[in-house]
PDB file of all heavy atoms in Angstrom:
ATOM      1  N   MET A1066      43.767   7.357  -7.779  1.00 49.00           N
ATOM      2  CA  MET A1066      42.484   8.062  -7.525  1.00 49.00           C
ATOM      3  C   MET A1066      41.426   7.059  -7.646  1.00 49.00           C
ATOM      4  O   MET A1066      41.419   6.114  -8.455  1.00 49.00           O
ATOM      5  CB  MET A1066      42.197   9.143  -8.589  1.00 49.00           C
ATOM      6  CG  MET A1066      41.107   9.835  -8.393  1.00 49.00           C
ATOM      7  SD  MET A1066      41.338  11.626  -8.533  1.00 49.00           S
ATOM      8  CE  MET A1066      39.700  12.164  -8.074  1.00 49.00           C
ATOM      9  N   GLU A1067      40.429   7.097  -6.741  1.00 61.00           N
ATOM     10  CA  GLU A1067      39.446   6.081  -6.745  1.00 61.00           C
ATOM     11  C   GLU A1067      38.443   6.391  -7.819  1.00 61.00           C
ATOM     12  O   GLU A1067      38.155   7.572  -8.114  1.00 61.00           O
ATOM     13  CB  GLU A1067      38.689   6.105  -5.343  1.00 61.00           C
ATOM     14  CG  GLU A1067      39.531   5.759  -4.267  1.00 61.00           C
ATOM     15  CD  GLU A1067      38.744   5.767  -2.919  1.00 61.00           C
ATOM     16  OE1 GLU A1067      37.498   5.696  -2.927  1.00 61.00           O
ATOM     17  OE2 GLU A1067      39.387   5.830  -1.951  1.00 61.00           O
ATOM     18  N   GLU A1068      37.808   5.276  -8.392  1.00 64.00           N
ATOM     19  CA  GLU A1068      36.782   5.429  -9.389  1.00 64.00           C
ATOM     20  C   GLU A1068      35.486   5.816  -8.711  1.00 64.00           C
ATOM     21  O   GLU A1068      35.203   5.292  -7.679  1.00 64.00           O
ATOM     22  CB  GLU A1068      36.680   4.182 -10.105  1.00 64.00           C
ATOM     23  CG  GLU A1068      37.847   3.781 -10.991  1.00 64.00           C
ATOM     24  CD  GLU A1068      37.621   2.587 -11.866  1.00 64.00           C
ATOM     25  OE1 GLU A1068      36.470   2.332 -12.196  1.00 64.00           O
ATOM     26  OE2 GLU A1068      38.605   1.846 -12.077  1.00 64.00           O
ATOM     27  N   PRO A1069      34.737   6.650  -9.323  1.00 65.00           N
ATOM     28  CA  PRO A1069      33.418   6.938  -8.693  1.00 65.00           C
ATOM     29  C   PRO A1069      32.402   5.692  -8.873  1.00 65.00           C
ATOM     30  O   PRO A1069      32.745   4.795  -9.644  1.00 65.00           O
ATOM     31  CB  PRO A1069      32.953   8.148  -9.525  1.00 65.00           C
ATOM     32  CG  PRO A1069      33.678   7.985 -10.844  1.00 65.00           C
ATOM     33  CD  PRO A1069      35.000   7.399 -10.496  1.00 65.00           C
ATOM     34  N   TRP A1070      31.488   5.727  -8.068  1.00 66.00           N
ATOM     35  CA  TRP A1070      30.476   4.591  -8.095  1.00 66.00           C
ATOM     36  C   TRP A1070      29.760   4.577  -9.496  1.00 66.00           C
ATOM     37  O   TRP A1070      29.590   5.604 -10.076  1.00 66.00           O
ATOM     38  CB  TRP A1070      29.355   4.883  -7.020  1.00 66.00           C
ATOM     39  CG  TRP A1070      29.772   4.521  -5.690  1.00 66.00           C
ATOM     40  CD1 TRP A1070      30.704   5.194  -4.904  1.00 66.00           C
ATOM     41  CD2 TRP A1070      29.329   3.455  -4.923  1.00 66.00           C
ATOM     42  NE1 TRP A1070      30.790   4.627  -3.718  1.00 66.00           N
ATOM     43  CE2 TRP A1070      29.936   3.561  -3.688  1.00 66.00           C
ATOM     44  CE3 TRP A1070      28.405   2.438  -5.114  1.00 66.00           C
ATOM     45  CZ2 TRP A1070      29.768   2.664  -2.680  1.00 66.00           C
ATOM     46  CZ3 TRP A1070      28.188   1.560  -4.080  1.00 66.00           C
ATOM     47  CH2 TRP A1070      28.795   1.593  -2.937  1.00 66.00           C
ATOM     48  N   ASN A1071      29.585   3.334  -9.893  1.00 72.00           N
ATOM     49  CA  ASN A1071      28.868   3.150 -11.215  1.00 72.00           C
ATOM     50  C   ASN A1071      27.401   3.325 -10.883  1.00 72.00           C
ATOM     51  O   ASN A1071      26.680   2.621 -10.257  1.00 72.00           O
ATOM     52  CB  ASN A1071      29.129   1.793 -11.622  1.00 72.00           C
ATOM     53  CG  ASN A1071      28.541   1.493 -13.016  1.00 72.00           C
ATOM     54  OD1 ASN A1071      27.902   2.357 -13.627  1.00 72.00           O
ATOM     55  ND2 ASN A1071      28.771   0.341 -13.546  1.00 72.00           N
ATOM     56  N   LEU A1072      26.848   4.578 -11.422  1.00 79.00           N
ATOM     57  CA  LEU A1072      25.577   4.969 -11.074  1.00 79.00           C
ATOM     58  C   LEU A1072      24.546   4.112 -11.742  1.00 79.00           C
ATOM     59  O   LEU A1072      23.388   3.955 -11.332  1.00 79.00           O
ATOM     60  CB  LEU A1072      25.387   6.447 -11.483  1.00 79.00           C
ATOM     61  CG  LEU A1072      26.131   7.435 -10.560  1.00 79.00           C
ATOM     62  CD1 LEU A1072      25.871   8.891 -11.019  1.00 79.00           C
ATOM     63  CD2 LEU A1072      25.770   7.288  -9.147  1.00 79.00           C
ATOM     64  N   GLU A1073      24.905   3.402 -12.920  1.00 83.00           N
ATOM     65  CA  GLU A1073      24.010   2.516 -13.568  1.00 83.00           C
ATOM     66  C   GLU A1073      23.585   1.342 -12.665  1.00 83.00           C
ATOM     67  O   GLU A1073      22.444   0.994 -12.575  1.00 83.00           O
ATOM     68  CB  GLU A1073      24.519   2.010 -14.824  1.00 83.00           C
ATOM     69  CG  GLU A1073      24.483   3.069 -16.020  1.00 83.00           C
ATOM     70  CD  GLU A1073      24.945   2.482 -17.325  1.00 83.00           C
ATOM     71  OE1 GLU A1073      24.954   1.164 -17.392  1.00 83.00           O
ATOM     72  OE2 GLU A1073      25.470   3.126 -18.126  1.00 83.00           O
ATOM     73  N   PHE A1074      24.671   0.819 -12.005  1.00 82.00           N
ATOM     74  CA  PHE A1074      24.414  -0.319 -11.145  1.00 82.00           C
ATOM     75  C   PHE A1074      23.586   0.064  -9.989  1.00 82.00           C
ATOM     76  O   PHE A1074      22.630  -0.703  -9.468  1.00 82.00           O
ATOM     77  CB  PHE A1074      25.742  -0.894 -10.611  1.00 82.00           C
ATOM     78  CG  PHE A1074      25.540  -1.912  -9.570  1.00 82.00           C
ATOM     79  CD1 PHE A1074      25.171  -3.263  -9.999  1.00 82.00           C
ATOM     80  CD2 PHE A1074      25.901  -1.824  -8.331  1.00 82.00           C
ATOM     81  CE1 PHE A1074      24.941  -4.279  -9.134  1.00 82.00           C
ATOM     82  CE2 PHE A1074      25.785  -2.759  -7.350  1.00 82.00           C
ATOM     83  CZ  PHE A1074      25.333  -4.030  -7.769  1.00 82.00           C
ATOM     84  N   VAL A1075      23.798   1.218  -9.315  1.00 84.00           N
ATOM     85  CA  VAL A1075      23.113   1.676  -8.141  1.00 84.00           C
ATOM     86  C   VAL A1075      21.693   2.020  -8.612  1.00 84.00           C
ATOM     87  O   VAL A1075      20.703   1.580  -7.759  1.00 84.00           O
ATOM     88  CB  VAL A1075      23.786   2.952  -7.528  1.00 84.00           C
ATOM     89  CG1 VAL A1075      22.870   3.547  -6.401  1.00 84.00           C
ATOM     90  CG2 VAL A1075      25.200   2.600  -6.985  1.00 84.00           C
ATOM     91  N   SER A1076      21.480   2.559  -9.686  1.00 88.00           N
ATOM     92  CA  SER A1076      20.096   2.882 -10.161  1.00 88.00           C
ATOM     93  C   SER A1076      19.351   1.617 -10.468  1.00 88.00           C
ATOM     94  O   SER A1076      18.161   1.466 -10.132  1.00 88.00           O
ATOM     95  CB  SER A1076      20.165   3.729 -11.486  1.00 88.00           C
ATOM     96  OG  SER A1076      18.906   3.877 -12.056  1.00 88.00           O
ATOM     97  N   TYR A1077      20.018   0.577 -11.094  1.00 90.00           N
ATOM     98  CA  TYR A1077      19.366  -0.705 -11.306  1.00 90.00           C
ATOM     99  C   TYR A1077      19.010  -1.374 -10.008  1.00 90.00           C
ATOM    100  O   TYR A1077      17.893  -1.908  -9.880  1.00 90.00           O
ATOM    101  CB  TYR A1077      20.285  -1.583 -12.091  1.00 90.00           C
ATOM    102  CG  TYR A1077      19.832  -3.025 -12.357  1.00 90.00           C
ATOM    103  CD1 TYR A1077      18.758  -3.213 -13.260  1.00 90.00           C
ATOM    104  CD2 TYR A1077      20.320  -4.137 -11.707  1.00 90.00           C
ATOM    105  CE1 TYR A1077      18.245  -4.412 -13.555  1.00 90.00           C
ATOM    106  CE2 TYR A1077      19.736  -5.364 -11.921  1.00 90.00           C
ATOM    107  CZ  TYR A1077      18.732  -5.498 -12.835  1.00 90.00           C
ATOM    108  OH  TYR A1077      18.269  -6.780 -13.034  1.00 90.00           O
ATOM    109  N   ALA A1078      19.874  -1.366  -8.930  1.00 90.00           N
ATOM    110  CA  ALA A1078      19.571  -1.992  -7.709  1.00 90.00           C
ATOM    111  C   ALA A1078      18.384  -1.289  -7.001  1.00 90.00           C
ATOM    112  O   ALA A1078      17.547  -2.002  -6.511  1.00 90.00           O
ATOM    113  CB  ALA A1078      20.841  -1.951  -6.754  1.00 90.00           C
ATOM    114  N   VAL A1079      18.441  -0.029  -7.055  1.00 91.00           N
ATOM    115  CA  VAL A1079      17.330   0.722  -6.413  1.00 91.00           C
ATOM    116  C   VAL A1079      15.947   0.500  -7.091  1.00 91.00           C
ATOM    117  O   VAL A1079      14.891   0.263  -6.517  1.00 91.00           O
ATOM    118  CB  VAL A1079      17.569   2.257  -6.308  1.00 91.00           C
ATOM    119  CG1 VAL A1079      16.404   3.116  -6.008  1.00 91.00           C
ATOM    120  CG2 VAL A1079      18.706   2.610  -5.409  1.00 91.00           C
ATOM    121  N   ASP A1080      15.992   0.404  -8.389  1.00 92.00           N
ATOM    122  CA  ASP A1080      14.831   0.095  -9.276  1.00 92.00           C
ATOM    123  C   ASP A1080      14.282  -1.314  -8.909  1.00 92.00           C
ATOM    124  O   ASP A1080      13.083  -1.523  -8.749  1.00 92.00           O
ATOM    125  CB  ASP A1080      15.060   0.208 -10.704  1.00 92.00           C
ATOM    126  CG  ASP A1080      13.934   0.019 -11.567  1.00 92.00           C
ATOM    127  OD1 ASP A1080      12.810   0.652 -11.234  1.00 92.00           O
ATOM    128  OD2 ASP A1080      13.948  -0.597 -12.605  1.00 92.00           O
ATOM    129  N   CYS A1081      15.238  -2.263  -8.824  1.00 93.00           N
ATOM    130  CA  CYS A1081      14.791  -3.647  -8.415  1.00 93.00           C
ATOM    131  C   CYS A1081      14.146  -3.711  -7.131  1.00 93.00           C
ATOM    132  O   CYS A1081      13.108  -4.340  -6.800  1.00 93.00           O
ATOM    133  CB  CYS A1081      15.984  -4.652  -8.455  1.00 93.00           C
ATOM    134  SG  CYS A1081      16.405  -4.954 -10.145  1.00 93.00           S
ATOM    135  N   LEU A1082      14.735  -3.034  -6.112  1.00 92.00           N
ATOM    136  CA  LEU A1082      14.262  -2.901  -4.845  1.00 92.00           C
ATOM    137  C   LEU A1082      12.874  -2.233  -4.632  1.00 92.00           C
ATOM    138  O   LEU A1082      11.950  -2.797  -4.018  1.00 92.00           O
ATOM    139  CB  LEU A1082      15.309  -2.320  -3.809  1.00 92.00           C
ATOM    140  CG  LEU A1082      14.813  -2.155  -2.319  1.00 92.00           C
ATOM    141  CD1 LEU A1082      14.784  -3.533  -1.742  1.00 92.00           C
ATOM    142  CD2 LEU A1082      15.762  -1.322  -1.606  1.00 92.00           C
ATOM    143  N   LEU A1083      12.796  -1.231  -5.371  1.00 94.00           N
ATOM    144  CA  LEU A1083      11.464  -0.535  -5.476  1.00 94.00           C
ATOM    145  C   LEU A1083      10.395  -1.361  -6.109  1.00 94.00           C
ATOM    146  O   LEU A1083       9.241  -1.362  -5.614  1.00 94.00           O
ATOM    147  CB  LEU A1083      11.649   0.815  -6.264  1.00 94.00           C
ATOM    148  CG  LEU A1083      10.457   1.748  -6.248  1.00 94.00           C
ATOM    149  CD1 LEU A1083      10.041   2.199  -4.780  1.00 94.00           C
ATOM    150  CD2 LEU A1083      10.595   2.969  -7.138  1.00 94.00           C
ATOM    151  N   SER A1084      10.695  -2.069  -7.207  1.00 93.00           N
ATOM    152  CA  SER A1084       9.652  -2.909  -7.818  1.00 93.00           C
ATOM    153  C   SER A1084       9.305  -4.131  -6.875  1.00 93.00           C
ATOM    154  O   SER A1084       8.115  -4.386  -6.849  1.00 93.00           O
ATOM    155  CB  SER A1084      10.173  -3.457  -9.133  1.00 93.00           C
ATOM    156  OG  SER A1084      11.237  -4.264  -8.975  1.00 93.00           O
ATOM    157  N   PHE A1085      10.281  -4.671  -6.131  1.00 90.00           N
ATOM    158  CA  PHE A1085       9.992  -5.660  -5.134  1.00 90.00           C
ATOM    159  C   PHE A1085       9.004  -5.199  -4.065  1.00 90.00           C
ATOM    160  O   PHE A1085       8.057  -5.837  -3.736  1.00 90.00           O
ATOM    161  CB  PHE A1085      11.277  -6.251  -4.618  1.00 90.00           C
ATOM    162  CG  PHE A1085      10.984  -7.319  -3.491  1.00 90.00           C
ATOM    163  CD1 PHE A1085      10.648  -8.510  -3.892  1.00 90.00           C
ATOM    164  CD2 PHE A1085      11.130  -7.008  -2.250  1.00 90.00           C
ATOM    165  CE1 PHE A1085      10.332  -9.559  -2.793  1.00 90.00           C
ATOM    166  CE2 PHE A1085      10.941  -7.903  -1.253  1.00 90.00           C
ATOM    167  CZ  PHE A1085      10.491  -9.133  -1.532  1.00 90.00           C
ATOM    168  N   VAL A1086       9.319  -4.005  -3.476  1.00 90.00           N
ATOM    169  CA  VAL A1086       8.510  -3.444  -2.440  1.00 90.00           C
ATOM    170  C   VAL A1086       7.146  -3.130  -2.932  1.00 90.00           C
ATOM    171  O   VAL A1086       6.086  -3.357  -2.289  1.00 90.00           O
ATOM    172  CB  VAL A1086       9.271  -2.165  -1.891  1.00 90.00           C
ATOM    173  CG1 VAL A1086       8.238  -1.459  -0.918  1.00 90.00           C
ATOM    174  CG2 VAL A1086      10.507  -2.519  -1.122  1.00 90.00           C
ATOM    175  N   THR A1087       7.030  -2.518  -4.269  1.00 93.00           N
ATOM    176  CA  THR A1087       5.758  -2.282  -4.725  1.00 93.00           C
ATOM    177  C   THR A1087       4.846  -3.521  -4.873  1.00 93.00           C
ATOM    178  O   THR A1087       3.703  -3.588  -4.577  1.00 93.00           O
ATOM    179  CB  THR A1087       5.853  -1.525  -6.159  1.00 93.00           C
ATOM    180  OG1 THR A1087       6.687  -0.415  -5.912  1.00 93.00           O
ATOM    181  CG2 THR A1087       4.576  -1.176  -6.680  1.00 93.00           C
ATOM    182  N   GLU A1088       5.564  -4.548  -5.475  1.00 89.00           N
ATOM    183  CA  GLU A1088       4.782  -5.825  -5.618  1.00 89.00           C
ATOM    184  C   GLU A1088       4.378  -6.353  -4.325  1.00 89.00           C
ATOM    185  O   GLU A1088       3.221  -6.945  -4.156  1.00 89.00           O
ATOM    186  CB  GLU A1088       5.655  -6.836  -6.434  1.00 89.00           C
ATOM    187  CG  GLU A1088       4.919  -8.134  -6.706  1.00 89.00           C
ATOM    188  CD  GLU A1088       5.809  -9.153  -7.434  1.00 89.00           C
ATOM    189  OE1 GLU A1088       6.843  -8.754  -7.973  1.00 89.00           O
ATOM    190  OE2 GLU A1088       5.536 -10.371  -7.458  1.00 89.00           O
ATOM    191  N   PHE A1089       5.281  -6.335  -3.254  1.00 83.00           N
ATOM    192  CA  PHE A1089       4.995  -6.854  -2.020  1.00 83.00           C
ATOM    193  C   PHE A1089       3.821  -6.161  -1.364  1.00 83.00           C
ATOM    194  O   PHE A1089       2.817  -6.671  -0.736  1.00 83.00           O
ATOM    195  CB  PHE A1089       6.131  -6.720  -1.069  1.00 83.00           C
ATOM    196  CG  PHE A1089       5.980  -7.419   0.221  1.00 83.00           C
ATOM    197  CD1 PHE A1089       5.945  -8.770   0.451  1.00 83.00           C
ATOM    198  CD2 PHE A1089       5.665  -6.656   1.379  1.00 83.00           C
ATOM    199  CE1 PHE A1089       5.797  -9.357   1.648  1.00 83.00           C
ATOM    200  CE2 PHE A1089       5.507  -7.239   2.630  1.00 83.00           C
ATOM    201  CZ  PHE A1089       5.597  -8.696   2.806  1.00 83.00           C
ATOM    202  N   VAL A1090       3.761  -4.706  -1.480  1.00 87.00           N
ATOM    203  CA  VAL A1090       2.637  -4.019  -0.954  1.00 87.00           C
ATOM    204  C   VAL A1090       1.395  -4.314  -1.620  1.00 87.00           C
ATOM    205  O   VAL A1090       0.303  -4.435  -0.975  1.00 87.00           O
ATOM    206  CB  VAL A1090       2.987  -2.463  -1.077  1.00 87.00           C
ATOM    207  CG1 VAL A1090       1.737  -1.632  -0.739  1.00 87.00           C
ATOM    208  CG2 VAL A1090       4.055  -2.151  -0.096  1.00 87.00           C
ATOM    209  N   GLN A1091       1.361  -4.502  -2.926  1.00 88.00           N
ATOM    210  CA  GLN A1091       0.222  -4.957  -3.647  1.00 88.00           C
ATOM    211  C   GLN A1091      -0.393  -6.203  -3.201  1.00 88.00           C
ATOM    212  O   GLN A1091      -1.562  -6.452  -2.992  1.00 88.00           O
ATOM    213  CB  GLN A1091       0.439  -4.893  -5.151  1.00 88.00           C
ATOM    214  CG  GLN A1091       0.551  -3.579  -5.776  1.00 88.00           C
ATOM    215  CD  GLN A1091       1.015  -3.621  -7.222  1.00 88.00           C
ATOM    216  OE1 GLN A1091       1.267  -4.736  -7.777  1.00 88.00           O
ATOM    217  NE2 GLN A1091       0.938  -2.525  -7.950  1.00 88.00           N
ATOM    218  N   ASP A1092       0.583  -7.234  -3.051  1.00 83.00           N
ATOM    219  CA  ASP A1092       0.168  -8.597  -2.547  1.00 83.00           C
ATOM    220  C   ASP A1092      -0.281  -8.536  -1.123  1.00 83.00           C
ATOM    221  O   ASP A1092      -1.338  -9.191  -0.750  1.00 83.00           O
ATOM    222  CB  ASP A1092       1.365  -9.509  -2.598  1.00 83.00           C
ATOM    223  CG  ASP A1092       1.664  -9.945  -4.018  1.00 83.00           C
ATOM    224  OD1 ASP A1092       0.818  -9.724  -4.840  1.00 83.00           O
ATOM    225  OD2 ASP A1092       2.736 -10.534  -4.202  1.00 83.00           O
ATOM    226  N   TRP A1093       0.289  -7.592  -0.277  1.00 82.00           N
ATOM    227  CA  TRP A1093      -0.160  -7.450   1.110  1.00 82.00           C
ATOM    228  C   TRP A1093      -1.605  -6.855   1.113  1.00 82.00           C
ATOM    229  O   TRP A1093      -2.465  -7.379   1.789  1.00 82.00           O
ATOM    230  CB  TRP A1093       0.780  -6.593   1.922  1.00 82.00           C
ATOM    231  CG  TRP A1093       0.501  -6.443   3.248  1.00 82.00           C
ATOM    232  CD1 TRP A1093      -0.437  -5.762   3.966  1.00 82.00           C
ATOM    233  CD2 TRP A1093       1.232  -7.109   4.263  1.00 82.00           C
ATOM    234  NE1 TRP A1093      -0.356  -5.941   5.274  1.00 82.00           N
ATOM    235  CE2 TRP A1093       0.676  -6.838   5.546  1.00 82.00           C
ATOM    236  CE3 TRP A1093       2.278  -8.156   4.233  1.00 82.00           C
ATOM    237  CZ2 TRP A1093       1.103  -7.354   6.689  1.00 82.00           C
ATOM    238  CZ3 TRP A1093       2.748  -8.630   5.461  1.00 82.00           C
ATOM    239  CH2 TRP A1093       2.145  -8.212   6.713  1.00 82.00           C
ATOM    240  N   ALA A1094      -1.903  -5.884   0.286  1.00 86.00           N
ATOM    241  CA  ALA A1094      -3.154  -5.341   0.213  1.00 86.00           C
ATOM    242  C   ALA A1094      -4.227  -6.266  -0.325  1.00 86.00           C
ATOM    243  O   ALA A1094      -5.442  -6.257   0.077  1.00 86.00           O
ATOM    244  CB  ALA A1094      -3.259  -3.988  -0.703  1.00 86.00           C
ATOM    245  N   ALA A1095      -3.833  -7.266  -1.220  1.00 86.00           N
ATOM    246  CA  ALA A1095      -4.755  -8.168  -1.836  1.00 86.00           C
ATOM    247  C   ALA A1095      -4.901  -9.375  -0.933  1.00 86.00           C
ATOM    248  O   ALA A1095      -5.693 -10.229  -1.162  1.00 86.00           O
ATOM    249  CB  ALA A1095      -4.266  -8.616  -3.194  1.00 86.00           C
ATOM    250  N   ASN A1096      -4.102  -9.509   0.149  1.00 79.00           N
ATOM    251  CA  ASN A1096      -4.163 -10.602   1.108  1.00 79.00           C
ATOM    252  C   ASN A1096      -3.984 -11.869   0.343  1.00 79.00           C
ATOM    253  O   ASN A1096      -4.598 -12.871   0.514  1.00 79.00           O
ATOM    254  CB  ASN A1096      -5.500 -10.601   1.950  1.00 79.00           C
ATOM    255  CG  ASN A1096      -5.286 -11.339   3.230  1.00 79.00           C
ATOM    256  OD1 ASN A1096      -4.109 -11.591   3.647  1.00 79.00           O
ATOM    257  ND2 ASN A1096      -6.375 -11.560   3.852  1.00 79.00           N
ATOM    258  N   ASP A1097      -2.890 -11.916  -0.399  1.00 78.00           N
ATOM    259  CA  ASP A1097      -2.527 -13.056  -1.182  1.00 78.00           C
ATOM    260  C   ASP A1097      -2.043 -14.260  -0.344  1.00 78.00           C
ATOM    261  O   ASP A1097      -1.735 -13.995   0.870  1.00 78.00           O
ATOM    262  CB  ASP A1097      -1.336 -12.617  -2.197  1.00 78.00           C
ATOM    263  CG  ASP A1097      -1.040 -13.654  -3.177  1.00 78.00           C
ATOM    264  OD1 ASP A1097      -1.910 -14.509  -3.567  1.00 78.00           O
ATOM    265  OD2 ASP A1097       0.121 -13.673  -3.640  1.00 78.00           O
ATOM    266  N   MET A1098      -2.042 -15.421  -0.816  1.00 85.00           N
ATOM    267  CA  MET A1098      -1.624 -16.608  -0.037  1.00 85.00           C
ATOM    268  C   MET A1098      -0.212 -16.558   0.380  1.00 85.00           C
ATOM    269  O   MET A1098       0.111 -16.898   1.534  1.00 85.00           O
ATOM    270  CB  MET A1098      -1.887 -17.881  -0.924  1.00 85.00           C
ATOM    271  CG  MET A1098      -1.363 -19.222  -0.250  1.00 85.00           C
ATOM    272  SD  MET A1098      -2.382 -19.420   1.310  1.00 85.00           S
ATOM    273  CE  MET A1098      -3.865 -20.120   0.573  1.00 85.00           C
ATOM    274  N   ARG A1099       0.732 -15.998  -0.431  1.00 82.00           N
ATOM    275  CA  ARG A1099       2.112 -15.806  -0.056  1.00 82.00           C
ATOM    276  C   ARG A1099       2.252 -14.807   1.208  1.00 82.00           C
ATOM    277  O   ARG A1099       3.054 -15.114   2.114  1.00 82.00           O
ATOM    278  CB  ARG A1099       2.887 -15.240  -1.210  1.00 82.00           C
ATOM    279  CG  ARG A1099       3.059 -16.182  -2.313  1.00 82.00           C
ATOM    280  CD  ARG A1099       3.828 -15.633  -3.412  1.00 82.00           C
ATOM    281  NE  ARG A1099       3.115 -14.459  -4.052  1.00 82.00           N
ATOM    282  CZ  ARG A1099       3.587 -13.651  -4.952  1.00 82.00           C
ATOM    283  NH1 ARG A1099       4.885 -13.812  -5.340  1.00 82.00           N
ATOM    284  NH2 ARG A1099       2.747 -12.704  -5.435  1.00 82.00           N
ATOM    285  N   VAL A1100       1.399 -13.872   1.155  1.00 83.00           N
ATOM    286  CA  VAL A1100       1.368 -12.932   2.376  1.00 83.00           C
ATOM    287  C   VAL A1100       0.818 -13.570   3.564  1.00 83.00           C
ATOM    288  O   VAL A1100       1.352 -13.352   4.663  1.00 83.00           O
ATOM    289  CB  VAL A1100       0.551 -11.624   1.987  1.00 83.00           C
ATOM    290  CG1 VAL A1100       0.398 -10.711   3.140  1.00 83.00           C
ATOM    291  CG2 VAL A1100       1.152 -10.937   0.794  1.00 83.00           C
ATOM    292  N   SER A1101      -0.138 -14.402   3.427  1.00 85.00           N
ATOM    293  CA  SER A1101      -0.672 -15.171   4.565  1.00 85.00           C
ATOM    294  C   SER A1101       0.440 -16.036   5.138  1.00 85.00           C
ATOM    295  O   SER A1101       0.561 -16.058   6.344  1.00 85.00           O
ATOM    296  CB  SER A1101      -1.845 -16.011   4.156  1.00 85.00           C
ATOM    297  OG  SER A1101      -2.953 -15.094   3.729  1.00 85.00           O
ATOM    298  N   ILE A1102       1.155 -16.773   4.209  1.00 90.00           N
ATOM    299  CA  ILE A1102       2.230 -17.697   4.791  1.00 90.00           C
ATOM    300  C   ILE A1102       3.301 -16.859   5.433  1.00 90.00           C
ATOM    301  O   ILE A1102       3.833 -17.242   6.400  1.00 90.00           O
ATOM    302  CB  ILE A1102       2.679 -18.457   3.642  1.00 90.00           C
ATOM    303  CG1 ILE A1102       1.645 -19.457   3.164  1.00 90.00           C
ATOM    304  CG2 ILE A1102       3.976 -19.202   3.934  1.00 90.00           C
ATOM    305  CD1 ILE A1102       2.015 -20.299   1.912  1.00 90.00           C
ATOM    306  N   PHE A1103       3.591 -15.718   4.811  1.00 87.00           N
ATOM    307  CA  PHE A1103       4.583 -14.730   5.345  1.00 87.00           C
ATOM    308  C   PHE A1103       4.240 -14.243   6.759  1.00 87.00           C
ATOM    309  O   PHE A1103       5.034 -14.350   7.697  1.00 87.00           O
ATOM    310  CB  PHE A1103       4.858 -13.613   4.424  1.00 87.00           C
ATOM    311  CG  PHE A1103       5.817 -12.587   4.988  1.00 87.00           C
ATOM    312  CD1 PHE A1103       7.194 -12.819   4.856  1.00 87.00           C
ATOM    313  CD2 PHE A1103       5.359 -11.274   5.516  1.00 87.00           C
ATOM    314  CE1 PHE A1103       8.097 -11.872   5.369  1.00 87.00           C
ATOM    315  CE2 PHE A1103       6.202 -10.519   6.023  1.00 87.00           C
ATOM    316  CZ  PHE A1103       7.616 -10.684   5.939  1.00 87.00           C
ATOM    317  N   LYS A1104       2.892 -13.930   6.894  1.00 88.00           N
ATOM    318  CA  LYS A1104       2.532 -13.514   8.262  1.00 88.00           C
ATOM    319  C   LYS A1104       2.623 -14.623   9.249  1.00 88.00           C
ATOM    320  O   LYS A1104       3.112 -14.384  10.448  1.00 88.00           O
ATOM    321  CB  LYS A1104       1.108 -13.022   8.151  1.00 88.00           C
ATOM    322  CG  LYS A1104       0.875 -11.679   7.398  1.00 88.00           C
ATOM    323  CD  LYS A1104      -0.613 -11.363   7.307  1.00 88.00           C
ATOM    324  CE  LYS A1104      -0.892 -10.087   6.607  1.00 88.00           C
ATOM    325  NZ  LYS A1104      -2.280  -9.751   6.444  1.00 88.00           N
ATOM    326  N   ILE A1105       2.241 -15.800   8.956  1.00 93.00           N
ATOM    327  CA  ILE A1105       2.372 -16.969   9.773  1.00 93.00           C
ATOM    328  C   ILE A1105       3.834 -17.184  10.252  1.00 93.00           C
ATOM    329  O   ILE A1105       4.124 -17.317  11.496  1.00 93.00           O
ATOM    330  CB  ILE A1105       1.719 -18.214   9.190  1.00 93.00           C
ATOM    331  CG1 ILE A1105       0.126 -18.061   9.066  1.00 93.00           C
ATOM    332  CG2 ILE A1105       2.149 -19.509  10.017  1.00 93.00           C
ATOM    333  CD1 ILE A1105      -0.508 -19.057   8.260  1.00 93.00           C
ATOM    334  N   LEU A1106       4.726 -17.346   9.172  1.00 95.00           N
ATOM    335  CA  LEU A1106       6.068 -17.455   9.509  1.00 95.00           C
ATOM    336  C   LEU A1106       6.728 -16.275  10.320  1.00 95.00           C
ATOM    337  O   LEU A1106       7.562 -16.615  11.196  1.00 95.00           O
ATOM    338  CB  LEU A1106       6.828 -17.710   8.197  1.00 95.00           C
ATOM    339  CG  LEU A1106       6.482 -19.067   7.504  1.00 95.00           C
ATOM    340  CD1 LEU A1106       7.278 -19.091   6.121  1.00 95.00           C
ATOM    341  CD2 LEU A1106       6.749 -20.187   8.251  1.00 95.00           C
TER     342      LEU A1106
END
């Protein structure tokens, strides 16, 4: 029988992705230098 997904790992991955997206949106709104370089590239 297959083992069910480890929900702690999935929850951690989703949390990391969500925090990255939140930080990216904040930087985008602040027009940070990293965002300017990202837009150029």
